[in-house]
Amino acid sequence: MIHDIGHAGDVATQPETLATRPVAYSMITELFRVQADAVPRNKFRRMMGVSPVHPDAESWFSGAHGELKMGELLSQLGPEWLVLHAVPVGTGESDIDHVIVGPGGVFTINTKRHERKKIWVGERILLVAGQKSDHLRNSRHEAKRASKLLSVVTGSSIVAHPVIAVVGASSFTFKQRPKDVSVMDARRVPRWLKHRPPVLSAKTVQRISAAAVDPRTWHPSADLTIDPTYLDRFRVLDRQVVSARRRRLLWAAVVTLGIAVVAYVYVLPAVTSLIVAAISGIG
């Protein structure tokens, strides 16, 4: 389910700062770019519960759900914290899911949605359902990039700490916790941030925040135009996905029931007859 992170109509189409950039915007924009290649479902495919999401867009669809959930959680932080979403960085299409500035320091959050998957964490490796991922490497890279860019603009040494926030994991196993990256269930992040020991004064937080909300700090020419319908369009697609899943479950139940009926009407009597005949033969 998608919660009300913000209404599309409340989003400015030409924001002057990153403070108003909506959560998961880059992810959802890319989702619909890939989704444009999807073949429209006909009536039969809709009836059978075929997913409306293009196979190549599945990862973007899942990622958007993860970032929306993380945005909802980060809204629990108080006014002393600056929370930025989908921060364009570099010279291409890359972005940082969330940048946080507050009394506890500067943080880059890399949100990953791994529904019902087991997470195994070591000093240099993070496994998802037994498969090696690039999450640690990418998160370290994001934090280093943020540290460098913010340091240049503020004229002081800024060290951003990378966080990997996992949405929907079934379990976590920590063989060895990385010294420079924090990995945790996304639900723990707000409380974890609030309980960080204060390392920045209110004045320093304000100075770093002023640099962080300036798009030029991160990207020399990022397109900050916002499609005000982006979240409504995503909600429509999400409802279609939920409806398709329910139809598939219904068909699965019908097939299972049909097999049970056939077994009861035809197979069970035949097996019973064979057993009776065998017993009679022995007698």
Side-chain angles (χ1 to χ4, degrees), residues 13-30:
T13 56
Q14 287 287 348
E16 296 180 359
T17 76
L18 295 177
T20 54
R21 188 165 174 82
V23 63
Y25 187 75
S26 298
M27 187 72 70
I28 293 177
T29 299
E30 185 62 17

Side-chain angles (χ1 to χ4, degrees), residues 241-254:
V241 169
V242 171
S243 177
R245 185 184 303 121
R246 288 173 178 168
R247 286 183 179 275
R248 292 195 301 273
L249 291 173
L250 178 61
W251 281 115
V254 169

Side-chain angles (χ1 to χ4, degrees), residues 51-133:
S51 175
V53 179
H54 190 284
D56 293 340
E58 285 287 355
S59 61
W60 300 104
F61 181 76
S62 177
H65 267 286
E67 288 190 29
L68 287 169
K69 179 60 178 179
M70 192 70 249
E72 177 189 353
L73 292 166
L74 291 173
S75 67
Q76 299 172 12
L77 295 175
E80 67 274 20
W81 292 87
L82 170 71
V83 179
L84 302 179
H85 305 294
V87 177
V89 62
T91 57
E93 300 298 323
S94 299
D95 79 324
I96 300 175
D97 296 343
H98 316 276
V99 175
I100 315 297
V101 183
V106 180
F107 305 87
T108 57
I109 298 181
N110 188 0
T111 300
K112 296 297 179 184
R113 183 174 183 245
H114 295 302
E115 285 291 325
R116 298 182 293 278
K117 299 291 179 61
K118 294 182 178 180
I119 308 298
W120 187 98
V121 183
E123 172 63 26
R124 307 300 300 181
I125 188 172
L126 188 151
L127 304 180
V128 179
Q131 300 297 313
K132 184 178 179 181
S133 75

Side-chain angles (χ1 to χ4, degrees), residues 43-50 244 247-248 251:
K43 185 175 181 179
F44 176 76
R45 289 167 64 85
R46 289 196 300 271
M47 182 181 69
M48 296 304 296
V50 174
R247 286 183 179 275
R248 292 195 301 273
W251 281 115

Side-chain angles (χ1 to χ4, degrees), residues 135-189:
H135 297 349
L136 289 174
R137 183 191 66 186
N138 293 343
S139 296
R140 289 183 174 110
H141 176 69
E142 285 183 351
K144 288 179 181 178
R145 177 180 268 188
S147 300
K148 179 179 180 180
L149 294 173
L150 289 172
S151 295
V152 168
V153 174
T154 60
S156 57
S157 179
I158 305 296
V159 178
H161 180 76
V163 177
I164 298 176
V166 184
V167 176
S170 62
S171 65
F172 288 81
T173 299
F174 290 92
K175 180 67 175 180
Q176 185 179 10
R177 291 181 182 271
K179 295 182 176 63
D180 57 342
V181 183
S182 297
V183 182
M184 67 191 76
D185 188 299
R187 293 170 296 185
R188 292 189 54 227
V189 172

Side-chain angles (χ1 to χ4, degrees), residues 207-224:
R207 180 165 58 88
I208 298 173
S209 296
V213 299
D214 188 342
R216 295 168 297 181
T217 296
W218 308 95
H219 197 295
S221 58
D223 181 5
L224 299 180

